[in-house]
Amino acid sequence: MKLTELLTEDLIKLNLEGKDKEACLKELVTLLAEAGKITEQEEFYQTILAREELSTTGVGNQVAIPHGKSEVVKEPTIVFAKSETGVDYGSIDDQDVKLFFMIAVPEKKSEEHLKVLAKLSRKLMHQEFREDLLTAATKQKVLEVIKEHE
Amino acid sequence: MKIVAVTACPTGVAHTYMAAEALEKAAQKKEIEIKVETQGSVGIENELTTEDIKQADAVIIAAGTNVKTGRFQGKPLLSVEVGEAIKDATALLEEAKEKAEDFEPQEDVVTDVKTHKSERSQQRTGAYKHLMNGVSRMIPFVVAGGLAISLAFAFGGIDAEGALAGALMQIGGDAAFALMVPILAGFIAASIADRPGLAPGMVGGMLAVQVEAGFLGGIIAGFLAGYVTEWLKNIIKLPATLEGLKPVLILPLFSTLIIGLLMLFVIGPPVMGIMTGLENWLEGMTGTNRVLLGAILGAMMAFDMGGPVNKAAYAFGVGLLASEIYTPMAVIMAAGMTPPLGLALATMITPNKFDRQQKEAGKAAAVLGISFITEGAIPFAAADPLKVIPSIMVGSAITGALSMLFNATLRAPHGGIFVVGIPGAVGNVLLYAVAILIGTVVTALLVSSLKEKIEVA
């Protein structure tokens, strides 16, 4: 399975409006709901917040990977979003976050999907991948970058 | 430098893998060999093998959840939050490297000995494995029986007179000792043919006792019962509807009848002859022959420290307890105690010939020695076999010879120094102690003079 099968154009947002962490997370969850990937918007938002409580998903290098596992998720999905200005996310390296990957996983997990997410997580540790994503100006370009690095 | 790592996080979808990737990347840059096990929601991937862990110089655990660390015992271990690895894997590797360099290996002798023991039991194959399965199941019966009989003598004098002594004698002699050979035979057979072997094996063992074929007869009965049952299992083919009868009716009936008849009419009589001959020979042995037997049994005990030769001598001694011959057992325990004891003493009299770890190992060996765990000598023998093994064999042979010369007896098959406290268990206890002491000193002197000084680095 390819990463791009979990991430489609309607799940990409190139300029988040939110100015703080909570607002951005809400936007991401809204995107999921609009694409019909979750049945309960508020509930999934709470799941995401609960995970942040545990420890920040701001993994450094301007990347955040808020994620949640919940019954309200229909199928494993990735949302990608960028913030032009950067958002204070309480990241482990205190950098503002510009790249968001929100990961939604249903309670009933499929191994194949989880492996794709694992692959994405590994890719995020590579600087070129992050830089290419930061410079990608269109949704099409974002998907191309991800394909290139697949 | 080789490092192994485990990464894990609460949800197990992202951090686990990011941390793994970060560590692998950083290691590549620093030219450190690394293997990272990920414990994510897909389960464990790239699992560390025992071999990986053994070769590793350091262990890193980067986890937001609980990771079991038991398997990393004895390794420098660095445990951090999973985020640390993502944030700065290079620094983490650096820290692990430092930790590995400063690490003082806690050469835990007791654990080491345990590993050797379990490795050996895993390596046991074929007839030896089956025999040891029987012997190990038999030992508790011999311990309980032997010590009960000892106590009977302690309370009731040489004829075990009086109600209490009589009861103890009945428990030890008539019950526990009577079960000894059947259990030996039964579990040899069960080791070969699984559960269906137990019944014919035990019955065969019981018959061996009744026809006075002793433990030799029991061993033969066990093997015979095992292989016959296995053979019956394979040749008897029943329609599926009757298959259920095979283990409950057919196999026990036929295997037991075959073994029983063989024991009574074929095996029993000649083995009884051999056994009686052996008993008479042992009891009638005088002077040089006795001492020679003691020396040979003693040297066997030290030769492979718990391996097949040692166990053969041991089984011989235990088996003879069933025939009420107690001197070989005394030899075997004494000679099994001197190797670790002698090595412990050697580390004390010539400390400059042992490194710091070995001196620590010496203390543990002393404890193992007094408990009759010959394997306590293995760490020394493994490090320097050509000097250590001959030394301990000579020491044990002398102890064995002396024990026979002094006519020391032992009614229990184990226990080391602790059975001495049980009245009646050891006959001629003072001279027995002298025999052990002399062997220990000889071993220590030999090892000390053969080994060379260690240059202090």
Side-chain angles (χ1 to χ4, degrees):
Chain A
M1 178 175 275
K2 296 237 179 272
L3 252 176
T4 35
E5 288 174 45
L6 300 185
L7 176 62
T8 46
E9 265 188 46
D10 55 340
L11 292 164
I12 295 174
K13 193 165 188 177
L14 293 176
N15 46 346
L16 286 169
E17 289 146 26
K19 292 290 163 248
D20 60 20
K21 183 173 173 177
E22 278 72 25
C24 286
L25 290 176
K26 215 159 215 160
E27 277 184 77
L28 290 162
V29 173
T30 310
L31 224 54
L32 273 174
E34 279 168 1
K37 302 291 185 185
I38 51 174
T39 52
E40 278 286 336
Q41 194 172 336
E42 180 59 25
E43 194 179 328
F44 190 67
Y45 177 62
Q46 290 307 326
T47 307
I48 290 287
L49 287 186
R51 173 61 188 88
E52 294 300 321
E53 283 286 300
L54 219 56
S55 69
T56 180
T57 60
V59 291
N61 296 314
Q62 304 181 323
V63 176
I65 43 155
H67 52 275
K69 191 161 71 174
S70 166
E71 284 169 3
V72 302
V73 179
K74 287 190 199 157
E75 56 186 26
T77 311
I78 300 170
V79 178
F80 173 69
K82 293 209 279 185
S83 165
E84 288 296 327
T85 49
V87 174
D88 179 6
Y89 198 89
S91 292
I92 54 177
D93 61 355
D94 292 324
Q95 282 192 59
D96 283 356
V97 168
K98 288 187 174 172
L99 295 174
F100 291 83
F101 276 97
M102 177 171 276
I103 301 169
V105 188
E107 204 61 55
K108 263 190 258 143
K109 52 190 178 184
S110 120
E111 201 157 289
E112 212 182 344
H113 290 134
L114 292 171
K115 282 202 170 137
V116 176
L117 298 179
K119 211 157 54 173
L120 167 70
S121 305
R122 283 182 180 268
K123 270 199 243 304
L124 284 171
M125 298 312 293
H126 294 267
Q127 199 181 347
E128 300 150 40
F129 181 59
R130 294 192 303 261
E131 274 168 7
D132 287 353
L133 283 176
L134 280 173
T135 49
T138 63
K139 293 181 179 184
Q140 202 50 49
K141 185 78 189 146
V142 168
L143 290 175
E144 268 169 38
V145 167
I146 292 173
K147 258 192 199 124
E148 263 169 44
H149 287 266
E150 191 94 55
Chain B
M1 168 85 41
K2 177 171 178 176
I3 290 179
V4 295
V6 177
T7 61
C9 60
T11 345
V13 289
H15 285 72
T16 305
Y17 304 99
M18 300 177 85
E21 186 75 13
L23 283 168
E24 281 164 10
K25 237 177 64 180
Q28 204 184 0
K29 214 174 271 173
K30 291 176 77 73
E31 288 176 0
I32 293 174
E33 197 187 334
I34 196 167
K35 181 167 176 187
V36 186
E37 172 181 307
T38 51
Q39 299 185 357
S41 45
V42 215
I44 292 175
E45 287 177 297
N46 201 21
E47 187 169 2
L48 300 174
T49 62
T50 327
E51 199 54 34
D52 290 328
I53 296 167
K54 208 168 149 191
Q55 288 167 358
D57 299 294
V59 181
I60 297 174
I61 292 180
T65 50
N66 218 353
V67 170
K68 292 201 182 86
T69 58
R71 60 189 163 140
F72 303 121
Q73 209 166 24
K75 290 279 171 190
L77 181 84
L78 186 60
S79 189
V80 295
E81 278 292 313
V82 64
E84 297 275 315
I86 298 173
K87 196 163 128 192
D88 199 347
T90 312
L92 204 57
L93 287 176
E94 204 52 57
E95 204 181 326
K97 213 170 139 186
E98 264 171 45
K99 209 159 182 168
E101 276 152 15
D102 296 343
F103 187 69
E104 304 252 350
Q106 292 265 322
E107 188 79 26
D108 184 349
V109 183
V110 180
T111 327
D112 201 26
V113 167
K114 258 194 207 152
T115 335
H116 273 289
K117 275 187 141 177
S118 66
E119 269 172 14
R120 271 187 169 161
S121 28
Q122 280 165 8
Q123 283 162 5
R124 284 176 192 158
T125 48
Y128 178 58
K129 179 182 142 202
H130 305 316
L131 179 64
M132 287 324 293
N133 188 51
V135 170
S136 62
R137 304 294 178 128
M138 169 179 73
I139 295 210
F141 292 87
V142 191
V143 171
L147 294 177
I149 294 171
S150 310
L151 289 172
F153 289 125
F155 289 120
I158 192 73
D159 294 319
E161 286 164 355
L164 178 60
L168 286 167
M169 201 65 195
Q170 196 179 349
I171 294 167
D174 299 343
F177 264 29
L179 283 165
M180 213 175 118
V181 175
I183 290 288
L184 170 68
F187 281 95
I188 290 173
S191 172
I192 298 166
D194 247 330
R195 235 186 288 175
L198 189 63
M202 285 193 73
V203 172
M206 195 76 206
L207 290 168
V209 178
Q210 287 168 359
V211 300
E212 294 182 4
F215 79 98
L216 278 182
I219 290 172
I220 294 170
F223 279 103
L224 209 58
Y227 290 121
V228 166
T229 311
E230 194 64 11
W231 174 71
L232 286 175
K233 264 203 271 185
N234 291 330
I235 62 150
I236 298 178
K237 298 270 180 268
L238 292 175
T241 43
L242 294 174
E243 192 61 28
L245 285 179
K246 202 166 140 185
V248 292
L249 181 72
I250 315 274
L251 280 181
L253 176 66
F254 287 105
S255 60
T256 305
L257 284 182
I258 293 174
I259 300 307
L261 292 168
L262 281 175
M263 284 310 290
L264 286 175
F265 297 110
V266 185
I267 314 280
V271 177
M272 184 199 87
I274 297 171
M275 206 53 209
T276 320
L278 178 67
E279 286 166 18
N280 289 340
W281 177 67
L282 285 170
E283 278 171 344
M285 234 183 344
T286 49
T288 332
N289 283 341
R290 285 177 62 89
V291 171
L292 198 61
L293 177 71
I296 291 169
L297 286 177
M300 283 173 77
M301 288 303 290
F303 174 69
D304 56 358
M305 298 152 290
V309 176
N310 163 294
K311 291 285 189 264
Y314 181 68
F316 179 72
V318 177
L320 285 171
L321 293 182
S323 305
E324 296 176 19
I325 296 175
Y326 303 114
T327 45
M329 194 65 240
V331 168
I332 276 146
M333 189 166 88
M337 289 167 71
T338 56
L341 286 177
L343 287 161
L345 183 62
T347 62
M348 284 182 258
I349 56 177
T350 48
N352 54 357
K353 294 187 177 177
F354 297 90
D355 63 25
R356 209 167 51 85
Q357 280 174 35
Q358 283 182 321
K359 274 176 249 174
E360 284 302 311
K363 288 176 201 155
V367 179
L368 294 169
I370 59 171
S371 320
F372 180 34
I373 296 171
T374 318
E375 284 91 339
I378 290 177
F380 295 91
D384 194 358
L386 289 179
K387 284 169 186 161
V388 170
I389 293 177
S391 307
I392 60 178
M393 281 178 73
V394 172
S396 291
I398 290 176
T399 293
L402 288 173
S403 172
M404 281 308 263
L405 188 68
F406 297 151
N407 209 9
T409 56
L410 177 64
R411 289 168 189 276
H414 218 292
I417 208 154
F418 305 102
V419 289
V420 174
I422 296 167
V426 184
N428 252 344
V429 68
L430 276 181
L431 285 172
Y432 190 51
V434 170
I436 293 173
L437 208 64
I438 292 177
T440 302
V441 172
V442 170
T443 304
L445 291 176
L446 278 174
V447 173
S448 293
S449 53
L450 284 176
K451 269 184 99 74
E452 274 139 34
K453 259 187 207 165
I454 288 180
E455 296 301 325
V456 181

